[in-house]
């Protein structure tokens, strides 16, 4: 789609997250043909003309955020139904997901996209939850976000209902999915391989899928966890750990993204770093799910080894919110507490994971993740005319510690203004909200998966 030129003029601060990590006070950005063509001081760009000029003097401008693990299928219509004392809701989660119809998934995906972009997310990776990509394509197109999609496959029994196929069928389905979808929506849609996890996929399946990915130059993501019990399980089958098992199969490497990755020991971190494998961590899911970040979280060590670490919000029934600013906040604060050391994960590092590093982790580091000439124009403008932005001395500290997605005022993706002064035009939000509420009622009635509304009497 041809875009007119756009100038973001004299922003209070532009946090570029570029090579030098420059923060430009009174900064301007020129966007032409969907890319950033110039960025610098307002005076340096005084001569730059554009079809539209946005007065940015009250704004802090950042690169758009990347959400590296975000199930957008089933959860919105039943968000919040699981009581805290239920323990793991996983078996209900997958049963609800399997029960979604095409039309329901279209609406719930649209709502997820609305929530994501309203909070400044420009790119998400859905780890194989979407069952009806044909139906959802229109939602992705209308919302304008970048989407990395795949079909979850397994060929082994799982403790919960997942799509299961014969090994060679699962490989063939993965190849067909990638061939059909990769590069659509003017390149905003990428298709990856998404075997669910090493426990639900045979070695033959994982290796077959990795071959498909290497031949096509695309990516692969899977759920991954370790820890002392997992290492013992794998040792009984001849591998040192889940991570070294994947390395021995040839599944790790720069095209592979492991999700969650809690419980890694030093040898496994070595293995991830040595192979150039990327990782998405979901800090709010880890905290809310009582995963023991103090014992199992190794984010600082992974970052210290140069691993590309992205952040994810997981699902509207894990993190519950889809706000990457809050995820960055959690990443920054939870390791300080877990290690009893305030130097862990500085605000700047949290912002890198949400932008530059996250983009690199999902294979888009050349294209997005920073405000630099030549990159695609994915930009977020935060409105500082709000109490939580006061007083403003250090914009990165304010962004990570004081604010959240509420002050996202304008979002630009590929040079197109998708959220404009808090408004979007791709969906009738009020109607969508009631549609999704109705879907939730139908889904609970159909599956029988329902819980008391609250621990308190609803009268
Ligand atoms: Zn997941």
């Amino acid at each position: 789609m041809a875009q007119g030129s756009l100038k973001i003029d004299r922003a209070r601060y532009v946090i570029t997250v570029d090579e030098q990590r420059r923060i430009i006070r009174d900064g301007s950005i020129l966007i032409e043909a969907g890319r950033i063509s110039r960025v610098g001081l307002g005076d340096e760009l005084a001569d730059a003309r554009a079809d539209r000029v946005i007065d940015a003097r009250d704004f802090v401008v950042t690169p758009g955020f990347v959400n590296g693990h975000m199930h957008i299928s089933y959860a919105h219509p039943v968000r919040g139904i699981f009581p805290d004392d239920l323990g793991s809701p996983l078996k209900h989660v997958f049963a609800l997901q399997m029960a979604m119809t095409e039309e329901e998934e279209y609406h719930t995906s649209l709502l997820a996209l609305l929530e994501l972009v309203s909070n400044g997310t420009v790119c998400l990776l859905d780890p194989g939850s979407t069952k009806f990509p044909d139906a959802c394509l229109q939602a992705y197109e209308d919302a304008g976000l970048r989407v990395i999609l795949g079909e979850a496959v397994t060929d082994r029994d799982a403790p919960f209902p997942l799509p299961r196929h014969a090994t060679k069928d699962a490989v063939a389905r993965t190849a067909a999915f990638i061939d059909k979808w990769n590069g659509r929506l003017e390149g905003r849609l990428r298709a990856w391989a998404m075997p669910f996890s090493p426990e639900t996929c045979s070695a033959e399946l994982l290796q077959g899928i990795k071959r498909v990915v290497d031949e096509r130059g695309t990516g692969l993501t899977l759920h991954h966890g370790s820890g002392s019990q997992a290492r013992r399980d794998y040792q009984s089958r001849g591998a040192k750990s889940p991570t070294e098992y994947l390395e021995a199969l040839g599944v790790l490497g720069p095209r592979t993204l492991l999700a969650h990755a809690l419980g890694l020991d030093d040898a496994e971190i070595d293995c991830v770093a040595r192979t150039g494998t990327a990782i998405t961590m979901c800090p709010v899911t880890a905290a809310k799910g009582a995963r023991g970040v103090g014992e199992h979280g190794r984010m600082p060590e992974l970052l210290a080894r140069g691993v590309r670490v992205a952040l994810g919000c997981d699902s509207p029934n894990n993190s519950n919110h889809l706000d990457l600013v809050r995820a960055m906040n959690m990443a920054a604060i939870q390791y300080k507490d877990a290690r009893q050391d305030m130097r862990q994960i500085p605000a700047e590092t949290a912002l890198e994971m949400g932008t530059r590093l996250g983009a690199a982790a999902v294979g888009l580091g050349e294209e997005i993740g920073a405000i630099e000439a030549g990159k695609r124009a994915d930009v977020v403008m935060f409105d500082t005319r709000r109490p939580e932005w006061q007083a403003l001395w250090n914009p990165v500290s304010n962004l990570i510690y004081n604010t959240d997605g509420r002050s996202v005022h304008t979002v630009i993706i590929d040079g197109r203004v998708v959220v404009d002064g808090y408004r979007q035009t791709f969906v009738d939000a009020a109607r969508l909200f009631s549609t999704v509420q109705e879907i939730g009622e139908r889904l609970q009635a159909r599956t029988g998966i329902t819980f008391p509304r609250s621990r308190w009497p609803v009268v």
Side-chain angles (χ1 to χ4, degrees):
M1 194 185 311
Q3 302 295 335
S5 57
L6 180 65
K7 184 181 184 185
I8 298 171
D9 197 33
R10 296 189 177 275
R12 192 159 173 190
Y13 291 100
V14 177
I15 306 173
T16 64
V17 202
D18 67 3
E19 235 17 274
Q20 299 82 39
R21 305 298 191 267
R22 289 181 306 156
I23 298 171
I24 306 171
R25 190 150 52 168
D26 188 27
S28 292
I29 302 165
L30 183 64
I31 295 169
E32 295 173 296
R35 288 190 187 270
I36 295 164
S37 55
R38 294 172 67 187
V39 51
L41 291 167
D43 286 347
E44 292 167 353
L45 269 74
D47 64 321
R49 299 279 170 268
D51 297 330
R52 179 177 173 190
V53 177
I54 300 177
D55 176 353
R57 80 188 90 168
D58 291 317
F59 295 86
V60 166
V61 183
T62 71
F65 304 128
V66 175
N67 196 320
H69 190 87
M70 183 70 247
H71 297 274
I72 69 168
S73 170
Y74 87 97
H76 268 96
V78 287
R79 177 149 66 176
I81 66 166
F82 302 128
D84 287 341
D85 55 9
L86 179 67
S88 171
L90 272 187
K91 87 174 181 259
H92 304 303
V93 163
F94 289 97
L96 287 161
Q97 188 165 309
M98 296 297 264
M100 295 288 285
T101 68
E102 188 165 333
E103 194 224 336
E104 289 171 345
E105 188 167 76
Y106 165 80
H107 290 294
T108 58
S109 295
L110 197 54
L111 179 52
L113 294 164
L114 173 60
E115 188 175 350
L116 286 162
V117 75
S118 303
N119 290 298
T121 292
V122 298
C123 176
L124 72 129
L125 183 149
D126 173 34
S129 351
T130 298
K131 285 165 60 187
F132 305 104
D134 285 289
C136 294
L137 183 68
Q138 192 63 47
Y140 310 141
E141 175 149 32
D142 292 347
L145 278 82
R146 298 176 195 282
V147 184
I148 300 168
L149 275 187
E151 182 185 359
V153 291
T154 71
D155 65 347
R156 279 183 174 173
D157 280 333
F160 25 78
L162 282 167
R164 190 183 153 175
H165 306 283
T167 307
K168 73 173 181 359
D169 294 344
V171 175
R173 290 181 77 93
T174 297
F177 189 96
I178 293 170
D179 293 342
K180 177 173 176 185
W181 292 103
N182 199 28
R184 292 180 73 167
L185 300 181
E186 297 162 317
R188 289 198 311 279
L189 201 161
R190 302 288 169 105
W192 280 27
M194 302 194 172
F196 188 79
S197 68
E199 291 76 30
T200 57
C201 296
S202 66
E204 297 71 38
L205 176 55
L206 293 171
Q207 288 175 317
I209 279 178
K210 183 62 163 49
R211 271 195 299 277
V212 165
V213 163
D214 288 341
E215 281 162 16
R216 286 160 177 76
T218 178
L220 180 163
T221 191
L222 71 171
H223 294 82
H224 186 67
S226 190
S228 51
Q229 183 58 48
R231 280 190 290 276
R232 275 196 297 277
D233 292 348
Y234 276 76
Q235 280 157 9
S236 70
R237 303 203 299 269
K240 285 189 193 136
S241 67
T243 313
E244 285 149 300
Y245 166 75
L246 289 177
E247 185 184 25
L249 294 186
V251 171
L252 298 187
R255 296 188 195 290
T256 299
L257 175 70
L258 304 176
H260 301 290
L262 292 170
L264 304 187
D265 67 10
D266 290 343
E268 292 177 283
I269 289 170
D270 252 355
C271 182
V272 168
R274 178 168 69 233
T275 54
T277 302
I279 284 185
T280 295
M281 304 192 91
C282 302
V284 183
T285 297
K288 180 165 170 278
R291 303 304 293 273
V293 167
E295 188 182 344
H296 300 294
R298 306 299 305 279
M299 184 184 278
E301 288 74 22
L302 289 162
L303 290 166
R305 295 293 303 275
V307 174
R308 293 166 294 150
V309 180
L311 299 176
C313 291
D314 205 11
S315 122
N317 258 327
N318 290 101
S319 286
N320 290 51
H321 65 72
L322 278 59
D323 181 347
L324 210 81
V325 183
R326 289 177 66 189
M328 293 190 286
N329 171 267
M330 182 60 86
I333 65 177
Q334 77 180 173
Y335 283 90
K336 291 175 173 60
D337 179 56
R339 308 277 174 102
Q340 297 181 53
D341 177 1
M342 284 189 69
R343 294 167 302 180
Q344 299 292 335
I345 314 287
E348 290 83 358
T349 306
L351 181 55
E352 285 176 336
M353 287 188 284
T355 56
R356 189 181 184 93
L357 262 186
V362 301
L364 295 174
E366 299 294 315
E367 291 289 298
I368 61 170
I371 297 175
E372 290 176 312
K375 287 234 157 72
R376 305 298 313 177
D378 289 12
V379 173
V380 179
M381 297 178 61
F382 285 88
D383 185 352
T384 65
R385 298 166 298 184
R386 299 173 60 100
E388 70 268 23
W389 273 96
Q390 316 310 319
L392 181 46
W393 305 109
N394 175 348
V396 179
S397 176
N398 277 25
L399 175 67
I400 300 300
Y401 295 123
N402 314 9
T403 72
D404 51 37
R406 277 174 301 173
S407 56
V408 170
H409 177 278
T410 292
V411 180
I412 298 161
I413 306 176
D414 245 1
R416 180 173 154 221
V417 182
V418 177
V419 178
D420 193 349
Y422 297 107
R423 285 189 309 278
Q424 53 75 32
T425 52
F426 63 87
V427 59
D428 176 343
R431 239 176 94 190
L432 179 65
F433 299 162
S434 56
T435 302
V436 172
Q437 184 79 23
E438 285 162 20
I439 291 171
E441 280 189 27
R442 290 205 303 266
L443 196 56
Q444 291 176 75
R446 207 159 73 228
T447 58
I449 299 172
T450 188
F451 300 91
R453 289 287 170 91
S454 168
R455 298 163 74 93
W456 293 343
V458 178
V459 298

